[in-house]
Amino acid sequence: MRSVHTIPLDPGRGGRSVHVIAHESGRPGPQVAVTANVHGDESTGVAAVLALDVLLRSVEFDGAIFLYSSLNPAGLEGCHRAFSPGGVDLNRVFPGNPRGDRANRAAASIWADLGRRKLDLLLDLHADSSSAIPYAIIDRAVELDGDARVAMRGRLDALALSTGLTVLNEYPDDQYRRFSLDRSLAGAMVNHAAVPALTLECGPRRAIHEPAVHGMVSAVRGALAHAGALAESTTIHPTRVPGAFRRASAPRVGRSGVFLPSMNPGSGFRAGDVLGQVYALDGSVVEEVVASGPGIVISWLEAAWVEPRGVVGTLGLEE
């Protein structure tokens, strides 16, 4: 059975709502949420959710699958990342606070609705860059102790592999906390609800790119199959790089100029390899960006010009 309802982002105060498309089989099975567009300028996930809605009308599945097409509708309409107004990153305030600012109230409203679902799994859909390979991110269960953390890690490892994407472990524990990633939606699910959750990053931010949408839908289907909702197997994405990698920012540049990468996303590198060069407009090379250790290129910045202290992309460092 398919049904649609809305969640007010600011209960009792009017304003925007989130649409939830519920597909309930009526048979026992996992309770799964697929959320998209917590960052308003990341549109690939919206298209993937709409494609999943069409798919679930015609395939057999078990349990229930809840599709949240946009957690940040104002950001989607305005094509901006932050939760408006105030420029707050909605993906750093979960589980939210119903008595806090508007972003915290919105997060709390979304969190409460997710809690009512008694979830077994959450997949949060994001986009990185037009120059990127798709990947799945495993959160650090920093709020879980001992055996509980080990068990969660094992579940997340298996889940991430089921997507068929390149897999990245999140930043180390200290950075993970400093960047408030335990308060991202997937991070909060893992750390504060003890529910397995993944962040999937596919495609460019501000455009609907059909191959990226297809790749994201395929990754979700693999995860749903792993959870027992669908009877199908994982499809390995053609860009997948096997191995253990940790998410890291590319080295910061020291000079301003035009950054030209020396290798494509998905390429491997060793310590000392040149990742790219910064050029002045007279054609001279003013800086080389050099790898500090072995890994793979995940994505490059969606801009040509860089300023001192700027980060030019995302890497997966061998772990």
Side-chain angles (χ1 to χ4, degrees), residues 65-146:
I65 301 170
F66 305 99
L67 306 175
Y68 294 69
S69 55
S70 173
L71 299 185
N72 187 355
L76 177 64
E77 293 175 19
C79 199
H80 49 78
R81 175 185 174 90
F83 185 79
S84 218
V88 176
D89 186 343
L90 185 61
N91 207 37
R92 298 294 184 272
V93 298
F94 286 96
N97 181 349
R99 292 175 294 279
D101 60 20
R102 288 185 66 181
N104 268 279
R105 297 197 300 268
S109 181
I110 294 165
W111 187 262
D113 189 81
L114 291 167
R116 287 190 287 269
R117 309 292 178 189
K118 307 297 182 185
L119 296 177
D120 299 295
L121 170 64
L122 181 137
L123 302 170
D124 192 31
L125 309 186
H126 288 251
D128 186 325
S129 166
S130 58
S131 182
I133 59 170
Y135 56 102
I137 301 177
I138 296 177
D139 275 272
R140 304 280 183 180
V142 293
E143 298 297 329
L144 304 184
D145 296 322

Side-chain angles (χ1 to χ4, degrees), residues 40-41 44 47 49 64 79 120 145 150 158 164 190-191 206-207 250 307-308:
D41 64 345
T44 302
V49 162
C79 199
D120 299 295
D145 296 322
V150 172
V190 167
N191 283 285
R206 296 173 179 84
E307 295 286 351

Side-chain angles (χ1 to χ4, degrees), residues 249-256 259 278 287 289 301 305-313:
S249 298
R252 294 182 183 273
V253 299
R255 302 284 299 276
S256 60
F259 176 71
V278 180
E287 184 176 357
V289 178
L301 181 70
W305 190 261
V306 292
E307 295 286 351
R309 300 292 299 160
V311 174
V312 295

Side-chain angles (χ1 to χ4, degrees), residues 21 23 148 161 165 172 184 201 316:
I21 306 167
H23 289 266
L161 287 174
L165 303 179
S184 69
E201 301 263 5

Side-chain angles (χ1 to χ4, degrees), residues 37-294:
N37 198 226
V38 67
H39 292 141
D41 64 345
E42 297 180 11
S43 53
T44 302
V46 179
V49 162
L50 298 177
L52 287 164
D53 178 36
V54 173
L55 173 73
L56 291 171
R57 301 184 207 196
S58 61
V59 299
E60 292 289 325
F61 65 94
D62 293 325
I65 301 170
F66 305 99
L67 306 175
Y68 294 69
S69 55
S70 173
L71 299 185
N72 187 355
L76 177 64
E77 293 175 19
C79 199
H80 49 78
R81 175 185 174 90
F83 185 79
S84 218
V88 176
D89 186 343
L90 185 61
N91 207 37
R92 298 294 184 272
V93 298
F94 286 96
N97 181 349
R99 292 175 294 279
D101 60 20
R102 288 185 66 181
N104 268 279
R105 297 197 300 268
S109 181
I110 294 165
W111 187 262
D113 189 81
L114 291 167
R116 287 190 287 269
R117 309 292 178 189
K118 307 297 182 185
L119 296 177
D120 299 295
L121 170 64
L122 181 137
L123 302 170
D124 192 31
L125 309 186
H126 288 251
D128 186 325
S129 166
S130 58
S131 182
I133 59 170
Y135 56 102
I137 301 177
I138 296 177
D139 275 272
R140 304 280 183 180
V142 293
E143 298 297 329
L144 304 184
D145 296 322
D147 291 345
R149 180 167 186 174
V150 172
M152 176 61 78
R153 179 54 196 252
R155 296 169 75 183
L156 293 178
D157 282 345
L159 180 62
L161 287 174
S162 76
T163 67
L165 303 179
T166 299
V167 177
L168 291 187
N169 298 315
E170 265 295 9
Y171 296 100
D173 285 7
D174 58 340
Q175 286 181 287
Y176 183 82
R177 290 181 185 276
R178 189 165 71 250
F179 297 158
S180 297
L181 290 167
D182 58 320
R183 301 192 67 191
S184 69
L185 179 52
M189 273 288 153
V190 167
N191 283 285
H192 302 292
V195 171
L198 286 180
T199 298
L200 303 183
E201 301 263 5
C202 297
R205 292 183 175 91
R206 296 173 179 84
I208 304 298
H209 182 56
E210 184 54 35
V213 175
H214 177 78
M216 182 171 274
V217 170
S218 178
V220 171
R221 292 178 70 164
L224 291 175
H226 177 77
L230 294 177
E232 56 185 63
S233 58
T234 293
T235 299
I236 303 300
H237 196 277
T239 65
R240 180 177 179 268
V241 181
F245 302 101
R246 169 174 56 82
R247 183 157 73 136
S249 298
R252 294 182 183 273
V253 299
R255 302 284 299 276
S256 60
V258 176
F259 176 71
L260 298 182
S262 298
M263 52 187 67
N264 294 323
S267 300
F269 55 80
R270 311 303 298 176
D273 285 352
V274 176
L275 301 174
Q277 297 172 314
V278 180
Y279 281 78
L281 294 180
D282 63 5
S284 61
V285 175
V286 296
E287 184 176 357
E288 288 189 331
V289 178
V290 178
S292 60

